Amino acid sequence: MIDSPDNRPSLDELMALAYEAAKLAHCPYSGFHVGAAVWANGKAYTGCNIESASFGLSLCAERVAIFKAVSDGCARFDMLAVVTPDAPVDAAPEQRICCGACRQVIAEFISPQGVIVIEGIGEVSLQDLLPTPFLLPT
Ligand code: ZN
């Protein structure tokens, strides 16, 4: 695992970590593997989708990776890569892009200069993903 603050990965390297994470997906219902990797505080955190028999309890790869980073003390992440190896090569962006719940979580934890890359789509901005995230009044 890449774990040095001076060894920031390229987006391709982060995508490769996301691919490895996708292999660990627990997706007996959908059969759709998803992998994610975030770079936060000089360390990579990976996640895969985890499905539950109680479907509403399932969790997306993006949130698994982000929550792993947050639970390790990282308030912000700098890079996010998402891969969908089971999507057809010509899959539409809607078949690869992050769901609404993940977009909200991304908005809350991405650093101001954070980068998001999605397999088959490329780099996307937070503004494109979620122009108006929910924020608690302060
Ligand atoms: Zn999601």
Side-chain angles (χ1 to χ4, degrees):
M1 175 180 288
I2 301 163
D3 61 1
S4 165
D6 300 320
N7 195 21
R8 184 182 176 118
S10 68
L11 288 175
D12 285 343
E13 290 170 329
L14 204 62
M15 294 276 275
L17 292 176
Y19 265 106
E20 288 302 310
K23 295 176 183 173
L24 302 174
H26 178 74
C27 53
Y29 309 105
S30 72
F32 194 79
H33 294 71
V34 182
V38 298
W39 182 255
N41 284 4
K43 190 173 177 182
Y45 297 89
T46 59
C48 59
N49 52 322
I50 303 170
E51 296 177 350
S52 167
S54 178
F55 292 159
L57 301 179
S58 298
L59 198 56
C60 300
E62 299 93 314
R63 283 179 283 153
V64 170
I66 292 167
F67 291 162
K68 282 171 73 174
V70 172
S71 68
D72 201 33
C74 302
R76 293 277 178 262
F77 68 86
D78 300 314
M79 303 167 73
L80 166 67
V82 181
V83 300
T84 51
D86 295 328
V89 173
D90 60 349
E94 295 79 16
Q95 297 170 311
R96 296 178 182 270
I97 203 158
C98 311
C99 77
C102 288
R103 294 178 195 204
Q104 175 65 35
V105 170
I106 291 166
E108 292 182 46
F109 292 103
I110 193 169
S111 66
Q113 65 277 27
V115 176
I116 303 163
V117 62
I118 301 173
E119 178 187 26
I121 298 174
E123 285 190 48
V124 296
S125 70
L126 177 60
Q127 179 67 24
D128 288 339
L129 280 180
L130 189 62
T132 311
F134 172 76
L135 297 171
L136 280 175
T138 55

